[in-house]
Amino acid sequence: MTYHELKEQENQYVMNTYGRFDIALDHGSGAQLWDVEGKRYIDLTSGIGVCCLGYNNEKIIDAITEQAHKLMHVSNLFTTEPMVQTAKTLCTQTGMSKVFFSNSGAESNEGMIKLARKYSYDKYGEGRAEIVTLYNSFHGRTVTTLKATGQEKFHQYFFPFTEGFAYASANDIESVKAAVNDHTCAIMMELIQGEGGVLPLDSDFVHQVEALCRENDLLLLVDEVQTGIGRTGSLFCFQQYGIKPDVVSMAKGLGGGVPVGAVMAADTCDTVLGPGTHATTFGGTPMICAAANAVLSEVTKPEFLKSVTEKGEYLKAKILGFGSDKVKDVRGMGLMLGIVVDADERAALVKEIMDAGVLVLTAGTNAIRLLPPLSISYEEMDEALAVMQKVFCK
């Protein structure tokens, strides 16, 4: 089908909840994608950080195929080897204690919120359930995670929202302290605010928040839905900050293209969610965990993580080296980068870059966001850079 034929049927049958680009994608390989009419793109989006090892990855495909012939799914009332192996790898690679598997980032964050509130309820009883999050954060699209998101524009339409959230300013410990009170049970934050504009938190601030949590028996919750699974040059971003979270959420890259999420707890709170307190039908299903194990076997390699850091530094240096007055800054870590541009120029720049065959994302009000597959080659990066240089230096 042509793009226009597909679009006509999409308009007829699919809810219009996304501001889609005028592209219908058909197939991919590595960091390259082709649309239904044969046009080729260098992809710097990886499905918003999901396809971390690129497209048509044989290792992931083989793992899924082999497991599908054995067991695609069984109830969580039974134990399966792929699920146990995924949990073991995550814990041994991070020093965390136990894992609960979910299906998405929002669901992982819901689980993290429930764990924090039950931890406090078990120790202190009712009335200590509020969670402090940061302005400009993004934590998901459910009724609860929308309210956890520290952006007022998301607090619309779906009333009543789940209550029990307070907000503080990033990189301002006094603002966080002012938001904490006798009703607070946890502080929840992204170490790089992805949807907010690719905004890394200051290291000193993060350590001050950790200390505040320890002083007040608050759980430190870290949302690594976008930053996790090698994206920033370490398996999880918190490892680069040198902190010890109580709970970490993840999703996106963990499955390399299939839907999976997880909540990982430290030994401070790993027994809070006992039998009957939390569940999900598809979490940890064998076929999905087989894919996750294939991903983890690559992204836990020190040389692979080093290459992510090096590729990120390469992209940043090249983009700043354009010498374009349209590029105000490049921020981020590893292969999670935001090119800062004038807000009123961004839409036109993005369209021109994509029309020329490079797929990019946006974030916040003035960032062009790059989340390429972690396996992207230097040749693919150079091709994308050549396109961006022409656009930025016109």
Side-chain angles (χ1 to χ4, degrees), residues 109-394:
N109 284 335
E110 287 260 359
M112 186 159 66
I113 289 164
K114 287 176 68 176
L115 191 157
R117 288 179 169 170
K118 187 172 184 296
Y119 170 86
S120 191
Y121 179 87
D122 289 347
K123 292 187 72 172
Y124 302 101
E126 293 186 25
R128 193 178 187 269
E130 194 166 86
I131 295 173
V132 175
T133 70
L134 300 180
Y135 291 118
N136 218 38
S137 61
F138 181 83
H139 297 295
R141 293 280 188 170
T142 65
V143 170
T144 296
T145 55
L146 278 174
K147 190 64 174 177
T149 293
Q151 299 185 58
E152 191 60 35
K153 67 181 180 181
F154 289 106
H155 304 162
Q156 306 293 329
Y157 315 124
F158 309 112
F159 305 101
F161 288 98
T162 305
E163 295 303 322
F165 295 95
Y167 311 102
S169 299
N171 301 321
D172 182 349
I173 192 61
E174 295 306 320
S175 175
V176 177
K177 288 179 178 178
V180 170
N181 56 46
D182 291 341
H183 302 292
T184 308
C185 69
I187 299 174
M188 179 177 178
M189 58 189 184
E190 306 158 279
L191 297 174
I192 303 176
Q193 295 184 323
E195 302 296 327
V198 193
L199 303 166
L201 299 186
D202 293 340
S203 181
D204 287 347
F205 169 75
V206 172
H207 283 270
Q208 289 169 335
V209 171
E210 181 183 31
L212 182 65
C213 288
R214 302 296 168 246
E215 291 164 7
N216 294 276
D217 193 20
L218 310 176
L219 290 191
L220 177 58
L221 315 180
V222 177
D223 177 344
E224 294 247 21
V225 169
Q226 194 165 144
T227 55
I229 318 302
R231 176 57 55 184
T232 66
S234 52
L235 184 57
F236 290 96
C237 193
F238 78 80
Q239 294 170 304
Q240 294 190 58
Y241 277 84
I243 59 171
K244 294 182 179 180
D246 295 292
V247 194
V248 177
S249 64
M250 70 197 78
K252 290 192 180 290
L254 180 58
V258 296
V260 58
V263 181
M264 188 165 55
D267 57 10
T268 51
C269 55
D270 62 358
T271 61
V272 169
L273 296 178
T277 60
H278 194 48
T280 181
T281 296
F282 294 103
T285 201
M287 189 177 71
I288 300 299
C289 282
N293 286 326
V295 170
L296 290 170
S297 71
E298 291 297 310
V299 302
T300 54
K301 294 176 180 175
E303 61 271 23
F304 183 91
L305 293 170
K306 181 182 178 184
S307 77
V308 173
T309 299
E310 291 171 345
K311 290 173 185 178
E313 291 172 349
Y314 182 81
L315 282 175
K316 183 175 182 178
K318 289 288 187 179
I319 294 167
L320 291 173
F322 293 164
S324 170
D325 58 5
K326 294 177 182 177
V327 177
K328 309 305 179 184
D329 192 13
V330 181
R331 60 196 179 207
M333 297 168 62
L335 287 172
M336 182 176 181
L337 299 174
I339 306 170
V340 182
V341 299
D342 286 337
D344 57 357
E345 292 185 348
R346 184 177 68 176
L349 289 169
V350 167
K351 184 179 188 307
E352 201 167 347
I353 290 168
M354 295 181 73
D355 286 347
V358 175
L359 302 184
V360 294
L361 297 161
T362 59
T365 59
N366 65 346
I368 297 174
R369 180 172 34 158
L370 310 182
L371 294 171
L374 306 181
S375 54
I376 190 171
S377 70
Y378 280 87
E379 291 76 16
E380 289 165 332
M381 288 192 292
D382 284 342
E383 187 175 345
L385 285 163
V387 168
M388 289 191 286
Q389 184 171 17
K390 287 181 181 178
V391 172
F392 284 122
C393 296
K394 286 181 63 175

Side-chain angles (χ1 to χ4, degrees), residues 58-131:
E58 292 296 335
K59 189 166 187 176
I60 298 174
I61 293 168
D62 288 347
I64 292 171
T65 302
E66 181 180 350
Q67 185 59 49
H69 282 292
K70 296 172 67 177
L71 280 177
M72 293 178 70
H73 171 79
V74 292
S75 164
N76 275 313
L77 297 175
F78 303 94
T79 301
T80 63
E81 184 176 350
M83 178 267 294
V84 173
Q85 183 57 54
T86 307
K88 178 182 176 181
T89 301
L90 289 169
C91 291
T92 56
Q93 289 288 326
T94 60
M96 299 292 277
S97 183
K98 287 181 170 41
V99 177
F100 173 88
F101 290 103
S102 61
N103 304 286
S104 69
E107 189 183 341
S108 296
N109 284 335
E110 287 260 359
M112 186 159 66
I113 289 164
K114 287 176 68 176
L115 191 157
R117 288 179 169 170
K118 187 172 184 296
Y119 170 86
S120 191
Y121 179 87
D122 289 347
K123 292 187 72 172
Y124 302 101
E126 293 186 25
R128 193 178 187 269
E130 194 166 86
I131 295 173

